[in-house]
Amino acid sequence: MTTPTPIVFIHGLWLHATSWAPWIDLFAAEGYAPIAPGWPGDPDTVAEARENPESIADHGIDDVVDHFAQIIRGLDAAPILIGHSFGGMIAQKLLGQDLARAAVAIDAAQIKGVLPLPLSALRATLPVFKNPANRHRAVSLTAKQFRFAFGNAIPEEESDALFEQWTIPAPGKPLFEAAAANFDPHSPAKVDTGNASRGPLLLMSGGKDHTVPEAVVRATLKQYRHSEAVTDITDFPGRGHSLTIDSGWRDVAGEALSWLRRQGL
């Protein structure tokens, strides 16, 4: 019998790792070996994370990359990475370091070199940027802020339910690092987009995403123009940043599965 291919799910800011639970069930049923580790300092449950935000605070992009790299090195085989938002950026960095077979980056946070900064993205991240001290803190969203940043393309009732079920405080440091990326030659948001030997990459975008608008994902695709490795893009025109956890998650997961099959994975 062949060993199932590991899949590592990587969450983004403000969502707990357990929000991947439906994806884990689906990918396990499809014959993969999926796991969804938290970020460094993440408690095991949503409730614990809300009660202990200081455990999450002050972890930057390099901390998260190193954390997941260590997890990957402990696996029996190189995994496929599936990341959402900042998790999508982390997945791209790890793929560029040849630590994964392939990656799916869903509404991925902007990497170094991406220039578009739509107003909606600024508004979505304002809860962090309004106070410079938040660089070293964990910041929570209100239900209203979550609705703008994540749940704008779904009914308000559903957005509020997702907020209650999955949201946790998020470290401000990665957002400050990404915002300064194009002014920092050694930015942790830099990805090896020129790596021609890496595994295939699928970028996904939500057409109504306020936090990572489609323009950002399209600009990310252009950063890979000098690599001969497979780099594909898929759009979900009516979807917002909640597309991995809302009632339409299976469409997104199904597209990721279909793409992996087309890559022979």
PDB file of all heavy atoms in Angstrom, residues 156-187:
ATOM      1  N   GLU A 156     -25.644  38.381   6.794  1.00  0.00           N
ATOM      2  CA  GLU A 156     -25.111  38.861   8.068  1.00  0.00           C
ATOM      3  C   GLU A 156     -25.224  37.810   9.168  1.00  0.00           C
ATOM      4  O   GLU A 156     -24.311  37.668   9.995  1.00  0.00           O
ATOM      5  CB  GLU A 156     -25.840  40.141   8.494  1.00  0.00           C
ATOM      6  CG  GLU A 156     -25.247  40.796   9.729  1.00  0.00           C
ATOM      7  CD  GLU A 156     -25.847  42.160  10.018  1.00  0.00           C
ATOM      8  OE1 GLU A 156     -26.725  42.622   9.249  1.00  0.00           O
ATOM      9  OE2 GLU A 156     -25.427  42.783  11.011  1.00  0.00           O
ATOM     10  N   GLU A 157     -26.323  37.061   9.162  1.00  0.00           N
ATOM     11  CA  GLU A 157     -26.488  36.013  10.177  1.00  0.00           C
ATOM     12  C   GLU A 157     -25.364  34.980  10.097  1.00  0.00           C
ATOM     13  O   GLU A 157     -24.830  34.533  11.113  1.00  0.00           O
ATOM     14  CB  GLU A 157     -27.846  35.308  10.001  1.00  0.00           C
ATOM     15  CG  GLU A 157     -29.004  36.018  10.655  1.00  0.00           C
ATOM     16  CD  GLU A 157     -30.271  35.162  10.628  1.00  0.00           C
ATOM     17  OE1 GLU A 157     -30.167  33.940  10.405  1.00  0.00           O
ATOM     18  OE2 GLU A 157     -31.360  35.726  10.829  1.00  0.00           O
ATOM     19  N   GLU A 158     -25.033  34.587   8.866  1.00  0.00           N
ATOM     20  CA  GLU A 158     -23.961  33.604   8.691  1.00  0.00           C
ATOM     21  C   GLU A 158     -22.625  34.189   9.117  1.00  0.00           C
ATOM     22  O   GLU A 158     -21.821  33.512   9.774  1.00  0.00           O
ATOM     23  CB  GLU A 158     -23.899  33.138   7.235  1.00  0.00           C
ATOM     24  CG  GLU A 158     -22.847  32.051   7.016  1.00  0.00           C
ATOM     25  CD  GLU A 158     -22.755  31.556   5.584  1.00  0.00           C
ATOM     26  OE1 GLU A 158     -23.483  32.079   4.711  1.00  0.00           O
ATOM     27  OE2 GLU A 158     -21.951  30.642   5.329  1.00  0.00           O
ATOM     28  N   SER A 159     -22.361  35.441   8.753  1.00  0.00           N
ATOM     29  CA  SER A 159     -21.119  36.089   9.145  1.00  0.00           C
ATOM     30  C   SER A 159     -20.982  36.125  10.661  1.00  0.00           C
ATOM     31  O   SER A 159     -19.921  35.804  11.217  1.00  0.00           O
ATOM     32  CB  SER A 159     -21.064  37.513   8.576  1.00  0.00           C
ATOM     33  OG  SER A 159     -19.897  38.179   8.990  1.00  0.00           O
ATOM     34  N   ASP A 160     -22.062  36.499  11.345  1.00  0.00           N
ATOM     35  CA  ASP A 160     -22.024  36.573  12.805  1.00  0.00           C
ATOM     36  C   ASP A 160     -21.792  35.194  13.431  1.00  0.00           C
ATOM     37  O   ASP A 160     -21.066  35.066  14.426  1.00  0.00           O
ATOM     38  CB  ASP A 160     -23.327  37.170  13.336  1.00  0.00           C
ATOM     39  CG  ASP A 160     -23.455  38.662  13.034  1.00  0.00           C
ATOM     40  OD1 ASP A 160     -22.447  39.271  12.631  1.00  0.00           O
ATOM     41  OD2 ASP A 160     -24.569  39.195  13.193  1.00  0.00           O
ATOM     42  N   ALA A 161     -22.390  34.165  12.834  1.00  0.00           N
ATOM     43  CA  ALA A 161     -22.212  32.801  13.356  1.00  0.00           C
ATOM     44  C   ALA A 161     -20.763  32.337  13.178  1.00  0.00           C
ATOM     45  O   ALA A 161     -20.186  31.713  14.079  1.00  0.00           O
ATOM     46  CB  ALA A 161     -23.165  31.845  12.657  1.00  0.00           C
ATOM     47  N   LEU A 162     -20.164  32.644  12.027  1.00  0.00           N
ATOM     48  CA  LEU A 162     -18.774  32.274  11.794  1.00  0.00           C
ATOM     49  C   LEU A 162     -17.846  33.028  12.739  1.00  0.00           C
ATOM     50  O   LEU A 162     -16.861  32.470  13.235  1.00  0.00           O
ATOM     51  CB  LEU A 162     -18.389  32.567  10.339  1.00  0.00           C
ATOM     52  CG  LEU A 162     -19.089  31.711   9.274  1.00  0.00           C
ATOM     53  CD1 LEU A 162     -18.753  32.227   7.886  1.00  0.00           C
ATOM     54  CD2 LEU A 162     -18.691  30.241   9.417  1.00  0.00           C
ATOM     55  N   PHE A 163     -18.175  34.278  12.983  1.00  0.00           N
ATOM     56  CA  PHE A 163     -17.385  35.087  13.927  1.00  0.00           C
ATOM     57  C   PHE A 163     -17.377  34.431  15.301  1.00  0.00           C
ATOM     58  O   PHE A 163     -16.317  34.304  15.934  1.00  0.00           O
ATOM     59  CB  PHE A 163     -17.986  36.494  14.002  1.00  0.00           C
ATOM     60  CG  PHE A 163     -17.386  37.353  15.077  1.00  0.00           C
ATOM     61  CD1 PHE A 163     -16.168  37.992  14.880  1.00  0.00           C
ATOM     62  CD2 PHE A 163     -18.046  37.534  16.300  1.00  0.00           C
ATOM     63  CE1 PHE A 163     -15.607  38.780  15.881  1.00  0.00           C
ATOM     64  CE2 PHE A 163     -17.492  38.319  17.296  1.00  0.00           C
ATOM     65  CZ  PHE A 163     -16.278  38.947  17.083  1.00  0.00           C
ATOM     66  N   GLU A 164     -18.539  34.012  15.760  1.00  0.00           N
ATOM     67  CA  GLU A 164     -18.637  33.390  17.082  1.00  0.00           C
ATOM     68  C   GLU A 164     -17.939  32.037  17.128  1.00  0.00           C
ATOM     69  O   GLU A 164     -17.357  31.657  18.151  1.00  0.00           O
ATOM     70  CB  GLU A 164     -20.110  33.218  17.480  1.00  0.00           C
ATOM     71  CG  GLU A 164     -20.829  34.515  17.768  1.00  0.00           C
ATOM     72  CD  GLU A 164     -20.231  35.265  18.959  1.00  0.00           C
ATOM     73  OE1 GLU A 164     -19.668  34.610  19.858  1.00  0.00           O
ATOM     74  OE2 GLU A 164     -20.314  36.508  18.980  1.00  0.00           O
ATOM     75  N   GLN A 165     -17.964  31.316  16.021  1.00  0.00           N
ATOM     76  CA  GLN A 165     -17.438  29.955  16.015  1.00  0.00           C
ATOM     77  C   GLN A 165     -15.925  29.878  15.875  1.00  0.00           C
ATOM     78  O   GLN A 165     -15.275  29.058  16.527  1.00  0.00           O
ATOM     79  CB  GLN A 165     -18.080  29.159  14.873  1.00  0.00           C
ATOM     80  CG  GLN A 165     -17.731  27.677  14.872  1.00  0.00           C
ATOM     81  CD  GLN A 165     -18.507  26.904  13.820  1.00  0.00           C
ATOM     82  OE1 GLN A 165     -19.126  27.486  12.919  1.00  0.00           O
ATOM     83  NE2 GLN A 165     -18.492  25.590  13.922  1.00  0.00           N
ATOM     84  N   TRP A 166     -15.317  30.749  15.057  1.00  0.00           N
ATOM     85  CA  TRP A 166     -13.943  30.502  14.641  1.00  0.00           C
ATOM     86  C   TRP A 166     -12.942  31.612  14.961  1.00  0.00           C
ATOM     87  O   TRP A 166     -11.745  31.380  14.871  1.00  0.00           O
ATOM     88  CB  TRP A 166     -13.880  30.250  13.137  1.00  0.00           C
ATOM     89  CG  TRP A 166     -14.641  29.075  12.646  1.00  0.00           C
ATOM     90  CD1 TRP A 166     -15.597  29.063  11.674  1.00  0.00           C
ATOM     91  CD2 TRP A 166     -14.515  27.708  13.079  1.00  0.00           C
ATOM     92  NE1 TRP A 166     -16.073  27.784  11.471  1.00  0.00           N
ATOM     93  CE2 TRP A 166     -15.431  26.939  12.333  1.00  0.00           C
ATOM     94  CE3 TRP A 166     -13.718  27.073  14.040  1.00  0.00           C
ATOM     95  CZ2 TRP A 166     -15.564  25.572  12.501  1.00  0.00           C
ATOM     96  CZ3 TRP A 166     -13.857  25.702  14.215  1.00  0.00           C
ATOM     97  CH2 TRP A 166     -14.761  24.967  13.453  1.00  0.00           C
ATOM     98  N   THR A 167     -13.384  32.827  15.277  1.00  0.00           N
ATOM     99  CA  THR A 167     -12.411  33.920  15.358  1.00  0.00           C
ATOM    100  C   THR A 167     -11.626  33.910  16.672  1.00  0.00           C
ATOM    101  O   THR A 167     -12.158  33.594  17.738  1.00  0.00           O
ATOM    102  CB  THR A 167     -13.083  35.297  15.208  1.00  0.00           C
ATOM    103  OG1 THR A 167     -14.063  35.474  16.234  1.00  0.00           O
ATOM    104  CG2 THR A 167     -13.708  35.446  13.851  1.00  0.00           C
ATOM    105  N   ILE A 168     -10.349  34.280  16.529  1.00  0.00           N
ATOM    106  CA  ILE A 168      -9.451  34.410  17.668  1.00  0.00           C
ATOM    107  C   ILE A 168      -8.622  35.682  17.484  1.00  0.00           C
ATOM    108  O   ILE A 168      -8.567  36.241  16.387  1.00  0.00           O
ATOM    109  CB  ILE A 168      -8.510  33.191  17.800  1.00  0.00           C
ATOM    110  CG1 ILE A 168      -7.606  33.058  16.562  1.00  0.00           C
ATOM    111  CG2 ILE A 168      -9.305  31.918  18.050  1.00  0.00           C
ATOM    112  CD1 ILE A 168      -6.519  31.994  16.705  1.00  0.00           C
ATOM    113  N   PRO A 169      -7.969  36.183  18.537  1.00  0.00           N
ATOM    114  CA  PRO A 169      -7.046  37.310  18.356  1.00  0.00           C
ATOM    115  C   PRO A 169      -5.918  36.928  17.398  1.00  0.00           C
ATOM    116  O   PRO A 169      -5.561  35.751  17.280  1.00  0.00           O
ATOM    117  CB  PRO A 169      -6.518  37.566  19.770  1.00  0.00           C
ATOM    118  CG  PRO A 169      -7.508  36.911  20.680  1.00  0.00           C
ATOM    119  CD  PRO A 169      -8.049  35.736  19.937  1.00  0.00           C
ATOM    120  N   ALA A 170      -5.365  37.922  16.723  1.00  0.00           N
ATOM    121  CA  ALA A 170      -4.289  37.670  15.762  1.00  0.00           C
ATOM    122  C   ALA A 170      -3.104  38.578  16.062  1.00  0.00           C
ATOM    123  O   ALA A 170      -3.282  39.734  16.442  1.00  0.00           O
ATOM    124  CB  ALA A 170      -4.780  37.925  14.338  1.00  0.00           C
ATOM    125  N   PRO A 171      -1.888  38.080  15.872  1.00  0.00           N
ATOM    126  CA  PRO A 171      -0.716  38.932  16.077  1.00  0.00           C
ATOM    127  C   PRO A 171      -0.671  40.049  15.041  1.00  0.00           C
ATOM    128  O   PRO A 171      -0.915  39.815  13.853  1.00  0.00           O
ATOM    129  CB  PRO A 171       0.458  37.967  15.909  1.00  0.00           C
ATOM    130  CG  PRO A 171      -0.067  36.860  15.058  1.00  0.00           C
ATOM    131  CD  PRO A 171      -1.519  36.726  15.425  1.00  0.00           C
ATOM    132  N   GLY A 172      -0.353  41.238  15.485  1.00  0.00           N
ATOM    133  CA  GLY A 172      -0.262  42.357  14.557  1.00  0.00           C
ATOM    134  C   GLY A 172       1.021  42.366  13.754  1.00  0.00           C
ATOM    135  O   GLY A 172       1.088  42.945  12.666  1.00  0.00           O
ATOM    136  N   LYS A 173       2.060  41.721  14.262  1.00  0.00           N
ATOM    137  CA  LYS A 173       3.388  41.811  13.654  1.00  0.00           C
ATOM    138  C   LYS A 173       3.428  41.427  12.176  1.00  0.00           C
ATOM    139  O   LYS A 173       4.046  42.140  11.368  1.00  0.00           O
ATOM    140  CB  LYS A 173       4.374  40.955  14.458  1.00  0.00           C
ATOM    141  CG  LYS A 173       5.829  41.161  14.063  1.00  0.00           C
ATOM    142  CD  LYS A 173       6.749  40.427  15.033  1.00  0.00           C
ATOM    143  CE  LYS A 173       8.206  40.682  14.704  1.00  0.00           C
ATOM    144  NZ  LYS A 173       9.110  40.004  15.677  1.00  0.00           N
ATOM    145  N   PRO A 174       2.782  40.324  11.731  1.00  0.00           N
ATOM    146  CA  PRO A 174       2.846  39.984  10.308  1.00  0.00           C
ATOM    147  C   PRO A 174       2.285  41.071   9.398  1.00  0.00           C
ATOM    148  O   PRO A 174       2.806  41.290   8.293  1.00  0.00           O
ATOM    149  CB  PRO A 174       2.015  38.696  10.211  1.00  0.00           C
ATOM    150  CG  PRO A 174       2.078  38.094  11.565  1.00  0.00           C
ATOM    151  CD  PRO A 174       2.079  39.272  12.498  1.00  0.00           C
ATOM    152  N   LEU A 175       1.236  41.760   9.845  1.00  0.00           N
ATOM    153  CA  LEU A 175       0.662  42.826   9.020  1.00  0.00           C
ATOM    154  C   LEU A 175       1.624  44.001   8.890  1.00  0.00           C
ATOM    155  O   LEU A 175       1.778  44.568   7.799  1.00  0.00           O
ATOM    156  CB  LEU A 175      -0.663  43.293   9.614  1.00  0.00           C
ATOM    157  CG  LEU A 175      -1.872  42.400   9.318  1.00  0.00           C
ATOM    158  CD1 LEU A 175      -3.049  42.781  10.186  1.00  0.00           C
ATOM    159  CD2 LEU A 175      -2.253  42.495   7.840  1.00  0.00           C
ATOM    160  N   PHE A 176       2.283  44.358   9.976  1.00  0.00           N
ATOM    161  CA  PHE A 176       3.267  45.437   9.908  1.00  0.00           C
ATOM    162  C   PHE A 176       4.439  45.044   9.014  1.00  0.00           C
ATOM    163  O   PHE A 176       4.954  45.864   8.245  1.00  0.00           O
ATOM    164  CB  PHE A 176       3.758  45.799  11.312  1.00  0.00           C
ATOM    165  CG  PHE A 176       2.805  46.664  12.087  1.00  0.00           C
ATOM    166  CD1 PHE A 176       1.855  46.107  12.931  1.00  0.00           C
ATOM    167  CD2 PHE A 176       2.859  48.043  11.973  1.00  0.00           C
ATOM    168  CE1 PHE A 176       0.968  46.907  13.649  1.00  0.00           C
ATOM    169  CE2 PHE A 176       1.988  48.859  12.690  1.00  0.00           C
ATOM    170  CZ  PHE A 176       1.030  48.290  13.518  1.00  0.00           C
ATOM    171  N   GLU A 177       4.849  43.789   9.084  1.00  0.00           N
ATOM    172  CA  GLU A 177       5.955  43.317   8.243  1.00  0.00           C
ATOM    173  C   GLU A 177       5.571  43.338   6.766  1.00  0.00           C
ATOM    174  O   GLU A 177       6.368  43.758   5.909  1.00  0.00           O
ATOM    175  CB  GLU A 177       6.358  41.905   8.664  1.00  0.00           C
ATOM    176  CG  GLU A 177       7.045  41.853  10.021  1.00  0.00           C
ATOM    177  CD  GLU A 177       7.311  40.441  10.488  1.00  0.00           C
ATOM    178  OE1 GLU A 177       6.543  39.518  10.115  1.00  0.00           O
ATOM    179  OE2 GLU A 177       8.278  40.245  11.248  1.00  0.00           O
ATOM    180  N   ALA A 178       4.356  42.904   6.454  1.00  0.00           N
ATOM    181  CA  ALA A 178       3.917  42.899   5.062  1.00  0.00           C
ATOM    182  C   ALA A 178       3.767  44.318   4.519  1.00  0.00           C
ATOM    183  O   ALA A 178       4.097  44.596   3.361  1.00  0.00           O
ATOM    184  CB  ALA A 178       2.596  42.139   4.936  1.00  0.00           C
ATOM    185  N   ALA A 179       3.287  45.223   5.374  1.00  0.00           N
ATOM    186  CA  ALA A 179       3.081  46.604   4.937  1.00  0.00           C
ATOM    187  C   ALA A 179       4.398  47.285   4.578  1.00  0.00           C
ATOM    188  O   ALA A 179       4.446  48.152   3.692  1.00  0.00           O
ATOM    189  CB  ALA A 179       2.359  47.394   6.024  1.00  0.00           C
ATOM    190  N   ALA A 180       5.474  46.895   5.244  1.00  0.00           N
ATOM    191  CA  ALA A 180       6.784  47.509   5.004  1.00  0.00           C
ATOM    192  C   ALA A 180       7.629  46.720   4.013  1.00  0.00           C
ATOM    193  O   ALA A 180       8.781  47.090   3.750  1.00  0.00           O
ATOM    194  CB  ALA A 180       7.535  47.637   6.324  1.00  0.00           C
ATOM    195  N   ALA A 181       7.073  45.656   3.435  1.00  0.00           N
ATOM    196  CA  ALA A 181       7.868  44.707   2.648  1.00  0.00           C
ATOM    197  C   ALA A 181       8.624  45.358   1.499  1.00  0.00           C
ATOM    198  O   ALA A 181       9.792  45.047   1.250  1.00  0.00           O
ATOM    199  CB  ALA A 181       6.974  43.590   2.118  1.00  0.00           C
ATOM    200  N   ASN A 182       7.967  46.254   0.772  1.00  0.00           N
ATOM    201  CA  ASN A 182       8.590  46.830  -0.417  1.00  0.00           C
ATOM    202  C   ASN A 182       9.629  47.903  -0.098  1.00  0.00           C
ATOM    203  O   ASN A 182      10.265  48.446  -1.004  1.00  0.00           O
ATOM    204  CB  ASN A 182       7.517  47.376  -1.357  1.00  0.00           C
ATOM    205  CG  ASN A 182       6.674  46.263  -1.960  1.00  0.00           C
ATOM    206  OD1 ASN A 182       7.178  45.160  -2.201  1.00  0.00           O
ATOM    207  ND2 ASN A 182       5.397  46.528  -2.178  1.00  0.00           N
ATOM    208  N   PHE A 183       9.798  48.189   1.188  1.00  0.00           N
ATOM    209  CA  PHE A 183      10.823  49.144   1.623  1.00  0.00           C
ATOM    210  C   PHE A 183      11.966  48.455   2.374  1.00  0.00           C
ATOM    211  O   PHE A 183      12.907  49.112   2.800  1.00  0.00           O
ATOM    212  CB  PHE A 183      10.196  50.218   2.523  1.00  0.00           C
ATOM    213  CG  PHE A 183       8.997  50.891   1.913  1.00  0.00           C
ATOM    214  CD1 PHE A 183       7.712  50.512   2.266  1.00  0.00           C
ATOM    215  CD2 PHE A 183       9.159  51.886   0.962  1.00  0.00           C
ATOM    216  CE1 PHE A 183       6.605  51.125   1.698  1.00  0.00           C
ATOM    217  CE2 PHE A 183       8.052  52.499   0.380  1.00  0.00           C
ATOM    218  CZ  PHE A 183       6.779  52.118   0.749  1.00  0.00           C
ATOM    219  N   ASP A 184      11.855  47.140   2.512  1.00  0.00           N
ATOM    220  CA  ASP A 184      12.821  46.375   3.294  1.00  0.00           C
ATOM    221  C   ASP A 184      13.459  45.310   2.408  1.00  0.00           C
ATOM    222  O   ASP A 184      12.806  44.347   2.012  1.00  0.00           O
ATOM    223  CB  ASP A 184      12.102  45.712   4.479  1.00  0.00           C
ATOM    224  CG  ASP A 184      13.035  44.868   5.333  1.00  0.00           C
ATOM    225  OD1 ASP A 184      14.237  44.799   5.026  1.00  0.00           O
ATOM    226  OD2 ASP A 184      12.538  44.257   6.312  1.00  0.00           O
ATOM    227  N   PRO A 185      14.745  45.461   2.072  1.00  0.00           N
ATOM    228  CA  PRO A 185      15.385  44.477   1.186  1.00  0.00           C
ATOM    229  C   PRO A 185      15.455  43.079   1.786  1.00  0.00           C
ATOM    230  O   PRO A 185      15.610  42.097   1.060  1.00  0.00           O
ATOM    231  CB  PRO A 185      16.797  45.060   0.978  1.00  0.00           C
ATOM    232  CG  PRO A 185      17.009  46.002   2.106  1.00  0.00           C
ATOM    233  CD  PRO A 185      15.661  46.553   2.456  1.00  0.00           C
ATOM    234  N   HIS A 186      15.328  42.977   3.093  1.00  0.00           N
ATOM    235  CA  HIS A 186      15.380  41.666   3.757  1.00  0.00           C
ATOM    236  C   HIS A 186      14.024  41.307   4.363  1.00  0.00           C
ATOM    237  O   HIS A 186      13.957  40.585   5.363  1.00  0.00           O
ATOM    238  CB  HIS A 186      16.459  41.682   4.839  1.00  0.00           C
ATOM    239  CG  HIS A 186      17.813  42.085   4.343  1.00  0.00           C
ATOM    240  ND1 HIS A 186      18.547  41.319   3.464  1.00  0.00           N
ATOM    241  CD2 HIS A 186      18.552  43.207   4.575  1.00  0.00           C
ATOM    242  CE1 HIS A 186      19.685  41.932   3.180  1.00  0.00           C
ATOM    243  NE2 HIS A 186      19.716  43.082   3.842  1.00  0.00           N
ATOM    244  N   SER A 187      12.970  41.766   3.766  1.00  0.00           N
ATOM    245  CA  SER A 187      11.629  41.550   4.307  1.00  0.00           C
ATOM    246  C   SER A 187      11.296  40.067   4.447  1.00  0.00           C
ATOM    247  O   SER A 187      11.565  39.277   3.533  1.00  0.00           O
ATOM    248  CB  SER A 187      10.586  42.205   3.400  1.00  0.00           C
ATOM    249  OG  SER A 187       9.281  41.816   3.790  1.00  0.00           O
TER     250      SER A 187
END
